[in-house]
Amino acid sequence: MTSTSVPGVCNIGPAERRQRRQLGWTGLVFVVLGLVCFPLFGAPDWVRVLIAIPAALAANGFLQSAMHFCVGFAMRGLYNMGAALGAEENVMDAAQRRADQKKGALIMLYSVALAAAVVVIAVLLP
């Protein structure tokens, strides 16, 4: 494991990963509640589609934690590899910023795809 930012590979340390993982678990709780409650209460499809929000949050949180990479930091040209929250530093090199932004966009794409799959499941439930 590295303790320095590697452009397009990792830009967050242990504290930031913990925070992203917590976001993932929170989103997952709401996804599970939705998938259990939708059939119980006969929720219409337009309500079931709203599960995309917590599903995307869960996917985004878990992916960022697992990949040691924050999408928001990448888009703003920041990184925090330290042990504490709030110690962001600037990525100065333009090529490194582009590599980070590319990785951030990929994580967002994965999150949206996973959220879409959860929506399909939610809509197909009885």
Side-chain angles (χ1 to χ4, degrees):
M1 183 183 322
T2 182
S3 62
T4 60
S5 175
V6 178
V9 177
C10 62
N11 70 356
I12 56 175
E16 297 286 351
R17 289 194 313 270
R18 253 188 319 278
Q19 187 177 49
R20 302 320 182 276
R21 201 168 33 254
Q22 183 176 349
L23 174 66
W25 284 113
T26 301
L28 185 60
V29 165
F30 283 99
V31 168
V32 170
L33 284 172
L35 293 176
V36 168
C37 291
F38 293 157
L40 287 175
F41 296 103
D45 287 349
W46 71 268
V47 171
R48 294 172 187 232
V49 169
L50 296 176
I51 202 164
I53 297 166
L57 288 174
N60 202 281
F62 286 132
L63 287 169
Q64 288 185 74
S65 177
M67 293 181 171
H68 301 202
F69 202 87
C70 174
V71 173
F73 283 2
M75 297 309 159
R76 295 181 298 165
L78 301 172
Y79 68 95
N80 178 10
M81 297 301 295
L85 297 173
E88 295 89 11
E89 298 180 53
N90 290 311
V91 176
M92 297 302 203
D93 184 73
Q96 292 176 343
R97 279 181 169 227
R98 282 191 301 277
D100 282 353
Q101 290 169 346
K102 184 178 176 182
K103 175 75 170 252
L106 185 62
I107 292 173
M108 288 302 295
L109 178 65
Y110 290 160
S111 298
V112 169
L114 289 167
V118 172
V119 168
V120 169
I121 292 166
V123 169
L124 291 176
L125 287 173

